[in-house]
Structures are given as structure tokens and as C-alpha cells.
Amino acid sequence: MKHGFIGPITVGVLAITSQSALAVSDVFRFVGHGPVSAAMGGAATAFDVGAAGMMTNPATLSLMPQGSEFHLGMDFIFADLLIRNPETGEVARSKTHSNNRGPYAAPQLAYTHRSGSLALGVGLFPQGGVGTEYGNSSFLSRATGGLATGLENSSRLLTLNIPFAASYEVDDKLTVGASLDVMWQAMNLEMLLGADQVGSLIGSGRASGSLVPVLGGLPDLRGAHLSFTKNQPVASGADAWGIGGRLGLTYKASKETVLGAAYSMKSRIGDMKGDATLTAIDAVAGQVPLKGMISVRDFQTPAQLNLGISHRLNEKWMIAADVSRIFWKDAMKNINVGFVADSGANIDILLPLNFKDQTALSLGAAYQTGKWTLRGGARFTTQALRSETMLAVMPGITTTFGSAGFSYQFSPASKLDFAWTHSFKKKMTNASLPNTSAPIRAEHAQDSIGLAYSHRF
């Protein structure tokens, strides 16, 4: 890998899995971080969800017991995703291919320590991602005029957070917290653009550079294919480092009721860069590959505001709710790609996304009996994607989720947490240039399972 730092931090953890990436969930983000939150519909702002709380509201670390805790977890994601051409009935289904994508596994690793009024934590958590694999023989791999290319259509986006969190109990009611996250983001992409898509991008001023007239000068241009991929569990075709962070607080309105608020800042991640190949597809000249360097510019994770409440009904029952506003509109306007060939010729492409800001409601309940805590929840979100800009390789369209899970306390020092989340099937159609040539209808559902072991000492 290009960055030595990612090796000791992630590869050692990910070595226990054969494949490591994320599938589409709530756009590009997990519904909840850690099994406790995931089992309660993603709610996490106003109650103790363990070490994973540093990914939503770091102030909740002060709701943990005094002492130290080690957290080791894993999420397994099983996506049911296909792209259908509604005119012809043809289907491109996302499938497992070697160790590059799916079925997906994502690790969690953290250490927390609470002493008196101060709680500290450090961890490694996946924040989100996307993974698709349509192969090289579906209708998505045909250029304009039905020309079969044999070229792949696929994607993988992985965002890892390494949060350093602190929480301070101001008094018996108010707690404040903050985290500074080191972030690593990586992308694989194999995408074919038909000649009509290329023409639409050029005509709207979304494609420019010295390679534009070269493509236009080919005798019978049918499309262009962009490829930057590493077929490895973690290493990707283009990657970058950056920072993020969040602020949070909790307020005990009464012995039974806790209020919470948290704000996660928009990330500041550098441009993802790596080796790439741009292949021009021509009916006369054939396929003309150009080697070079890719830059995916200003691809950021959005800011997010969370407001939450938890209420303990009695010794056995607790309920919780979060309302979140995710500011996708500012973060996801375009996919801004720059390619520079080894010869020095270049092309810049702006694929429109124009995401909408998203509102989410997470609801959860927990019931404790003996060594067991049983949980259930649901999450409902507005749609962030626009149908006219949906891409086949990034169809994060699910908006309704159900969840269930449990904790089993082996001893006062150790416990096992489990969560299952189901994303109910959602459909969306796009027949608009420039993001698709053939009309497409995405159909996406998903199941995920989370496991975590925590040990106190």
C-alpha cells in the first residue's frame, strides 16, 4: 500500500476476514455504530451504547461504568442488489467476485477508560461505504449501439475512522464530549460511459481538457471506460487521508430521562489519488487504453446533527429515540474526477449527484431480564438521492430499516452484543443523461449482522 500507516492499524485487524468493505446502507453510512445502537434502529445520542458511542456522541462515554473496557466487534453485510433495464427486462445483479467485494465484513476495535469525571477513548470504526459488482457481461457493459465491451462495472468505497475521544462530567446532570478523527478513505471504480453520456457531459460543460477533442476525433466513438481498482481486501485504486470530528453533550433531565445532542463535522479529506486507465471504445479502432493518474476531488462525508432522548420506564424497560439531520446537499454535489494520461493529456469530469439533505428518525427499546438484554428498533429516513442522478454503481436508496438484537452478560466483566438489521427493499428509476445511457431501475434490500465482545478491567 502507498501509506505505511494504514498497514499496522487496519490490515492486522482485517486479516481475520477474507473480504473487507461496506455495502450500501443508509446512503453511504451505517445505520448504527456497534450492535447496541444497531439493534435499536441506530439510536445512540442519549444512552450508553458502549465504546461505539464515540462515533455518534462522545459524551455518552461518561455513561459507561468506571474503569477500562476493550471492545472488539464485526459487522457482516449481505446485500440484495440488482439493476434492471425496464425497457428490455435485462438484469445486472451485484455478485461476489474474489476478495474485492461482498459478502462484506467490517471490523470495530476500541479501548475506553473512565476515571472520575473524565472518560477517554480511542478506536477504529468503519463509518460507511458502498460496494457493487456487476461483472463484465451485463447490459451495463455494453457501449452505445449495443457494442459489447467485456469491461467491468463495479465500485467500492470504504471510509475508516480512527477517533480519539474525550468526555467530561461537568456535574451530576451535564456531560460534554468531543472527538478528533483521523480518517482514511479509499475507492475502487470500474465504470462505462456510453458515447451519449460523454456527449451530454461535454455539451453541458461537465467534461473538459485536452483529451476531449481526442475522443471526439475517433472515427466511431461508442463510449469511455474508467478503471482504478485493486483486487485486495483493503488496498484500493485511489485513497486519501483526512480529519473529522464531533461535539456532543448529555443532560440528565431526571433520574429516568437523559437528553443528548451531537454534531459531527463535515470531513476534510484530501483528493483520492491512484493509478488508472481510461479506455476509449470505438467501433472502428477498437479499445484504446490510456494509462495515467486519477484524482477524485473533494469527496467528503457530510455534517450531521443528532438530537436524542432515552427514558427508563422501570428497572427492566428503556426506550430511546434519535432525530438526525444529515447535510448531504453540501457534501455530495458532484463526483469530481480528473484523469491525467502518462502523455500529459487530461480530462476533467463532473458527474452530477445533487444529493438532498436527509432527515432520519431512529426508535429503539430494550428489555433486561437476568443476564439478557433484548432490543428492537426501527429507522425511517427521507430520500437523499435524486432519481435523475442515480448511478448504477452507487445506488444507496434504502430508507426503511428494522432491527433486533440482544446482549448476554457472561460475567460482570464480559458480555456479548448481537444485532440484526434489515433494510427493506427500495426501488428507484433513472432514465436521464448523463449518469445513465440505458434506463435503469435499482432494486436494493440488505441484511446485516453485528457482533461485539467487550471486556472490562
Side-chain angles (χ1 to χ4, degrees):
M1 298 187 66
K2 295 181 178 179
H3 302 284
F5 185 43
I6 194 66
I9 291 181
T10 60
V11 175
V13 177
L14 296 174
I16 61 175
T17 67
S18 62
Q19 301 159 340
S20 300
L22 300 181
V24 281
S25 49
D26 186 354
V27 190
F28 302 148
R29 289 188 161 189
F30 267 144
V31 169
H33 297 286
V36 175
S37 173
M40 296 184 66
T45 307
F47 66 103
D48 177 17
V49 298
M54 68 181 79
M55 287 292 291
T56 302
N57 182 1
T60 61
L61 296 183
S62 289
L63 300 176
M64 299 176 69
Q66 297 282 337
S68 299
E69 181 177 296
F70 174 76
H71 170 101
L72 178 63
M74 186 70 66
D75 290 285
F76 302 93
I77 303 100
F78 307 90
D80 179 10
L81 175 63
L82 64 85
I83 304 295
R84 187 184 306 274
N85 184 330
E87 291 185 350
T88 65
E90 295 174 282
V91 170
R93 186 179 294 275
S94 183
K95 297 180 179 180
T96 299
H97 285 254
S98 69
N99 65 357
N100 194 29
R101 306 164 191 87
Y104 305 96
Q108 299 177 0
L109 178 66
Y111 168 78
T112 59
H113 178 75
R114 184 183 174 201
S115 178
S117 298
L118 182 65
L120 301 173
V122 61
L124 169 69
F125 294 93
Q127 180 167 303
V130 60
T132 61
E133 179 70 79
Y134 300 113
N136 58 12
S137 58
S138 76
F139 73 93
L140 296 175
S141 293
R142 291 202 299 265
T144 299
L147 179 64
T149 66
L151 297 172
E152 301 280 345
N153 273 270
S154 61
S155 66
R156 185 181 73 188
L157 172 70
L158 174 62
T159 304
L160 289 175
N161 282 40
I162 305 168
F164 297 86
S167 178
Y168 183 74
E169 195 172 25
V170 178
D171 54 36
D172 59 354
K173 290 184 176 293
L174 178 64
T175 298
V176 295
S179 73
L180 175 65
D181 295 10
V182 177
M183 302 180 69
W184 180 72
Q185 187 167 259
M187 179 182 286
N188 284 342
L189 185 64
E190 303 271 350
M191 185 168 63
L192 174 65
L193 299 173
D196 53 349
Q197 293 175 268
V198 175
S200 177
L201 289 166
I202 294 172
S204 60
R206 289 182 167 271
S208 60
S210 57
L211 280 173
V212 169
V214 175
L215 293 174
L218 291 172
D220 190 3
L221 180 70
R222 297 296 183 90
H225 182 267
L226 186 61
S227 169
F228 51 99
T229 292
K230 286 185 179 178
N231 194 24
Q232 299 175 16
V234 179
S236 298
D239 65 352
W241 288 89
I243 59 172
R246 59 194 57 83
L247 302 171
L249 62 85
T250 62
Y251 182 78
K252 295 180 181 177
S254 69
K255 184 179 178 181
E256 296 82 16
T257 305
V258 178
L259 306 176
Y263 181 76
S264 297
M265 303 167 197
K266 180 182 174 182
S267 67
R268 297 180 64 88
I269 301 174
D271 297 343
M272 289 181 281
K273 297 182 179 180
D275 297 327
T277 301
L278 177 65
T279 302
I281 296 104
D282 189 86
V284 176
Q287 296 185 10
V288 185
L290 297 173
K291 301 288 186 180
M293 292 290 296
I294 196 75
S295 294
V296 182
R297 307 179 182 113
D298 196 29
F299 199 96
Q300 306 296 334
T301 62
Q304 178 168 327
L305 175 65
N306 284 4
L307 301 175
I309 184 172
S310 68
H311 179 71
R312 186 162 291 281
L313 300 173
N314 51 45
E315 291 183 357
K316 293 182 179 293
W317 282 97
M318 190 267 287
I319 56 176
D322 279 11
V323 175
S324 305
R325 185 68 170 171
I326 306 106
F327 300 100
W328 289 106
K329 184 177 179 180
D330 181 57
M332 288 289 165
K333 296 178 180 178
N334 301 286
I335 298 180
N336 186 341
V337 177
F339 174 80
V340 180
D342 292 342
S343 64
N346 74 296
I347 188 169
D348 294 310
I349 298 172
L350 282 175
L351 285 170
L353 291 179
N354 296 321
F355 279 15
K356 295 175 285 188
D357 289 344
Q358 185 181 41
T359 300
L361 173 64
S362 296
L363 303 171
Y367 175 77
Q368 186 174 354
T369 174
K371 294 184 177 182
W372 294 88
T373 302
L374 308 179
R375 300 185 179 91
R379 180 176 172 91
F380 309 93
T381 73
T382 58
Q383 183 59 260
L385 277 70
R386 300 178 186 272
S387 61
E388 65 270 19
T389 58
M390 182 187 67
L391 289 161
V393 292
M394 289 188 177
I397 58 176
T398 51
T399 58
T400 307
F401 310 84
S403 62
F406 65 82
S407 292
Y408 181 77
Q409 197 80 38
F410 294 105
S411 70
S414 63
K415 70 168 181 170
L416 177 71
D417 299 316
F418 169 86
W420 165 73
T421 303
H422 178 70
S423 307
F424 292 94
K425 182 174 286 188
K426 184 75 173 179
K427 299 179 182 180
M428 181 178 284
T429 300
N430 182 14
S432 304
L433 293 170
N435 286 8
T436 188
S437 182
I440 55 174
R441 183 172 69 227
E443 301 178 14
H444 175 226
Q446 182 172 295
D447 290 282
S448 61
I449 294 173
L451 287 168
Y453 173 80
S454 58
H455 181 76
R456 300 199 59 79
F457 53 95

